[in-house]
């Protein structure tokens, strides 16, 4: 069983990331593609299928809402580390510009700018810098695959939160590199580094902020809960074909839409956005 997410502050992470001293910035006009060297050691992000689906009724401004929560995770099965570096010129800016640092076989690095933003999130379950975007959640109808409800996720604090089976990698993984808390409590930071090393995953458990979809008023029936990572491919990866996972679920309202919903997972599809019954 994966361990639950925890915030770990460790100086070892800083030393591991700082070990790469040579860096080359691939400068390109804003909005243009960046040419990645063919021998670059790229990450390969593989989202774990949604799990632990639960329902809860909450009141917001006197109105009743029903939320469906779930756990999510993304694993790096590639040859290279996912290394994100955010920076801003001063505390007057609410966000940092995020860039991806890519390692080369000789130990040097190249940098891909414009991969997103980092924003300081203030919530009882999150008080640190999140990369936006990273992973999104969607609730879709099984028939026709129409989007029913989007998520309200506020990005990810990326880190090496748990190791997975090393047999999934071409080469044995090294020690964890990103074990910090993404600037926990440090609203005045001008730069932050976070990421996921090969052989490790980053997970979020149920009911953390944004780990839910509002299903108030959603009709009974069969739906697909989809997790997508790196939508639009702002991050350079060695493989984009495995960037979605999903579960097929049945939603029932035993006492009508005002009652407590019953959610039943019918099928898990770890490698696809669409999850048809019996396929």
């Amino acid at each position: 069983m994966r361990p639950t997410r925890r915030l770990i502050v460790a100086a070892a992470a800083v030393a591991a990331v700082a070990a790469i001293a040579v860096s080359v910035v691939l400068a390109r006009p804003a909005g243009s593609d960046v040419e990645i060297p063919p021998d670059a050691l790229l990450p390969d992000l593989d989202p774990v299928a949604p799990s632990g689906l639960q329902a809860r009724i909450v009141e917001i401004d006197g109105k009743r809402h029903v939320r469906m929560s779930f756990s999510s995770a993304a694993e790096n099965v590639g040859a290279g580390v996912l290394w994100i570096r955010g920076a801003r010129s001063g505390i007057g800016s609410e966000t940092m510009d995020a860039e991806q640092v890519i390692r080369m076989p000789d130990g040097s690095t190249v940098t891909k700018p414009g991969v997103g933003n980092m924003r300081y999130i203030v919530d009882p379950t999150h008080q640190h810098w999140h990369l936006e975007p990273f992973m999104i959640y969607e609730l879709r109808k099984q028939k026709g695959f129409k989007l029913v409800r989007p998520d309200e996720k506020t990005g990810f604090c990326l880190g090496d939160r748990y190791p997975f089976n090393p047999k999934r990698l071409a080469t044995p993984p090294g020690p964890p590199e990103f074990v910090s808390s993404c600037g926990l409590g440090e609203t005045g930071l001008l730069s932050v580094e976070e990421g996921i090393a090969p052989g490790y995953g980053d997970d979020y458990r149920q009911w953390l902020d944004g780990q839910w979809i509002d299903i108030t008023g959603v009709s009974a029936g069969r739906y697909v809960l989809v997790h997508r990572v790196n939508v639009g491919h702002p991050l350079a990866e060695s493989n984009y074909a495995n960037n979605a996972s999903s579960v097929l679920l049945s939603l029932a309202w035993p006492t009508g839409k005002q009652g407590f919903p019953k959610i039943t997972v019918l099928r898990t599809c770890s490698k696809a956005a669409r999850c048809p019954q019996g396929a």
Side-chain angles (χ1 to χ4, degrees):
M1 178 180 296
R2 285 197 315 270
T4 56
R5 184 178 183 83
R6 60 192 182 278
L7 299 180
I8 308 172
V9 182
V14 178
V17 174
I20 303 301
V22 182
S23 179
V24 177
V25 177
L26 296 177
R28 294 290 186 277
S32 67
D33 292 333
V34 172
E35 296 180 5
I36 305 299
D39 59 341
L41 300 176
L42 294 174
D44 180 7
L45 300 172
D46 185 12
V48 177
S51 63
L53 277 65
Q54 300 175 352
R56 181 180 293 176
I57 297 174
V58 298
E59 282 198 9
I60 303 175
D61 297 329
K63 295 183 179 180
R64 177 183 179 278
H65 289 259
V66 183
R67 290 176 173 175
M68 177 179 67
S69 186
F70 39 81
S71 293
S72 68
E75 298 174 345
N76 184 359
V77 298
V81 66
L82 174 66
W83 179 359
I84 306 299
R85 183 165 57 201
R88 57 179 175 166
S89 58
I91 61 174
S93 174
E94 293 184 357
T95 62
M96 298 182 185
D97 295 328
E99 60 186 13
Q100 180 181 1
V101 183
I102 302 168
R103 289 178 179 163
M104 301 299 295
D106 63 1
S108 64
T109 64
V110 294
T111 303
K112 184 178 188 295
V115 300
N117 297 311
M118 285 188 183
R119 183 184 304 275
Y120 191 87
I121 303 300
V122 180
D123 181 86
T125 62
H126 300 290
Q127 297 186 40
H128 49 191
W129 293 88
H130 277 195
L131 173 67
E132 303 173 333
F134 182 70
M135 185 187 294
I136 65 171
Y137 314 133
E138 304 167 339
L139 184 66
R140 293 180 173 270
K141 290 284 290 185
Q142 180 196 15
K143 186 176 181 180
F145 210 56
K146 180 181 179 180
L147 179 65
V148 177
R149 294 285 168 85
D151 65 5
E152 298 184 33
K153 187 64 177 174
T154 56
F156 275 66
C157 163
L158 300 176
D160 299 337
R161 308 305 175 190
Y162 67 93
F164 57 79
N165 189 343
K167 293 182 179 179
R168 296 176 58 197
L169 300 178
T171 58
E177 298 187 39
F178 296 94
V179 293
S180 75
S181 57
C182 305
L184 177 64
E186 299 183 89
T187 59
L189 290 178
L190 298 183
S191 63
V192 174
E193 293 186 348
E194 55 189 66
I196 309 175
Y200 295 89
D202 181 282
D203 61 339
Y204 277 75
R205 65 181 183 270
Q206 305 100 317
W207 302 117
L208 287 174
D209 183 52
Q211 287 296 123
W212 45 264
I213 289 178
D214 194 317
I215 58 172
T216 308
V218 174
S219 300
R222 290 186 173 182
Y223 297 87
V224 181
L225 175 61
V226 186
H227 287 183
R228 300 183 193 269
V229 71
N230 196 21
V231 177
H233 307 162
L235 301 171
E237 296 185 64
S238 59
N239 176 29
Y240 299 102
N242 59 344
N243 282 14
S245 63
S246 60
V247 294
L248 174 67
L249 63 93
S250 171
L251 176 65
W253 302 88
T255 58
K257 292 183 180 179
Q258 295 303 312
F260 196 81
K262 180 180 179 181
I263 301 170
T264 305
V265 174
L266 304 176
R267 187 166 184 257
T268 298
C269 299
S270 60
K271 301 297 181 184
R274 290 180 178 267
C275 195
Q277 178 68 37

